[in-house]
Amino acid sequence: SAVISQKPSRDICQRGTSLTIQCQVDSQVTMMFWYRQQPGQSLTLIATANQGSEATYESGFVIDKFPISRPNLTFSTLTVSNMSPEDSSIYLCSVRVGLHSYEQYFGPGTRLTVT
Amino acid sequence: AQSVTQLDSQVPVFEEAPVELRCNYSSSVSVYLFWYVQYPNQGLQLLLKYLSGSTLVKGINGFEAEFNKSQTSFHLRKPSVHISDTAEYFCAVSEAGITSGSRLTFGEGTQLTVNP
């Protein structure tokens, strides 16, 4: 498994601003992902964070709104840009630790409220 | 593409009673299956997984699940629940394979509430 931390754990932001969420893993992992969990709903994959290259976004998510960086095998950031109240969600980082380890481990999440 | 249906949005049970949380999936290819638990204000914790082999898989906290390929189901069970099992439970599926087995598709979740 892996120990995953996220910063901040929660934040309240004004519309039109941006927030960068950090995800740190205690060991090198093959893959990192970002999910969104809207209030009372399930998880939706935003993108796969690729080391040293552009993230792979899922349908409905774009780089201009959710820029992602992954400079190394243990760290990634997700920015929520030009926020609106509809962006109020929990944002979760997850990792897959190895090529033959198919499960994903999740961070504690970042609870974002946009006013 | 895969999809997951959790048949019950809420399951209330009494302490020490058995429980089954139902999950059905749809996929045109082989899949891996997972159950996660989310306690209030926390991230997701992996309960158990099915990759291959025995269709009955055991997980943490006394939970088990059975993979039924013909019925495309992966129901979660526990013979005797505790108050501390109160949480949201998510069933998830991914396409089998080294490079493709990454994207997790989640069900809508089942809120298990254990009452004294």
Side-chain angles (χ1 to χ4, degrees):
Chain A
S1 64
V3 177
I4 305 164
S5 60
Q6 287 186 231
K7 290 181 181 179
S9 58
R10 58 178 63 225
D11 206 341
I12 301 173
C13 301
Q14 292 190 348
R15 69 173 65 208
T17 63
S18 298
L19 176 71
T20 296
I21 302 168
Q22 298 180 4
C23 176
Q24 179 73 56
V25 192
D26 68 339
S27 59
Q28 294 184 349
V29 296
T30 56
M31 303 184 80
M32 298 180 76
F33 309 89
W34 287 98
Y35 289 82
R36 180 176 71 182
Q37 186 178 24
Q38 293 177 300
Q41 297 190 28
S42 187
L43 283 78
T44 302
L45 180 63
I46 298 172
T48 301
N50 300 309
Q51 190 212 349
S53 64
E54 192 172 288
T56 304
Y57 290 85
E58 297 298 305
S59 175
F61 298 95
V62 296
I63 188 171
D64 290 346
K65 176 66 176 177
F66 297 102
I68 288 170
S69 77
R70 188 183 173 191
N72 57 50
L73 293 175
T74 64
F75 184 78
S76 177
T77 66
L78 167 74
T79 299
V80 186
S81 303
N82 188 25
M83 287 183 285
S84 66
E86 293 71 36
D87 294 319
S88 297
S89 297
I90 300 173
Y91 292 86
L92 298 110
C93 168
S94 77
V95 305
R96 188 175 151 189
V97 298
L99 278 180
H100 297 282
S101 176
Y102 301 104
E103 63 270 26
Q104 293 183 22
Y105 297 94
F106 285 81
T110 295
R111 185 179 296 270
L112 171 62
T113 302
V114 183
T115 60
Chain B
Q2 297 81 42
S3 66
V4 179
T5 302
Q6 291 183 241
L7 298 164
D8 306 292
S9 60
Q10 298 191 34
V11 174
V13 295
F14 288 109
E15 194 173 16
E16 298 183 5
V19 70
E20 178 179 80
L21 306 184
R22 297 180 294 169
C23 172
N24 285 95
Y25 70 93
S26 174
S27 177
S28 58
V29 298
S30 296
V31 296
Y32 298 143
L33 293 155
F34 308 88
W35 275 99
Y36 286 88
V37 60
Q38 185 176 37
Y39 298 103
N41 300 313
Q42 295 187 28
L44 274 70
Q45 181 181 6
L46 179 68
L47 273 179
L48 47 78
K49 63 185 178 185
Y50 172 79
L51 304 181
S52 65
S54 173
T55 56
L56 182 64
V57 293
K58 295 187 182 297
I60 62 171
N61 302 341
F63 284 93
E64 63 180 33
E66 185 158 19
F67 170 57
N68 188 319
K69 187 175 182 179
S70 63
Q71 297 188 3
T72 61
S73 68
F74 191 55
H75 300 333
L76 181 71
R77 303 185 182 100
K78 186 169 183 178
S80 176
V81 294
H82 303 289
I83 298 286
S84 58
D85 292 321
T86 294
E88 187 87 17
Y89 291 79
F90 291 97
C91 181
V93 63
S94 71
E95 184 176 325
I98 293 175
T99 55
S100 59
S102 297
R103 181 183 292 106
L104 278 178
T105 301
F106 284 85
E108 292 301 310
T110 297
Q111 174 64 44
L112 173 65
T113 302
V114 182
N115 298 301

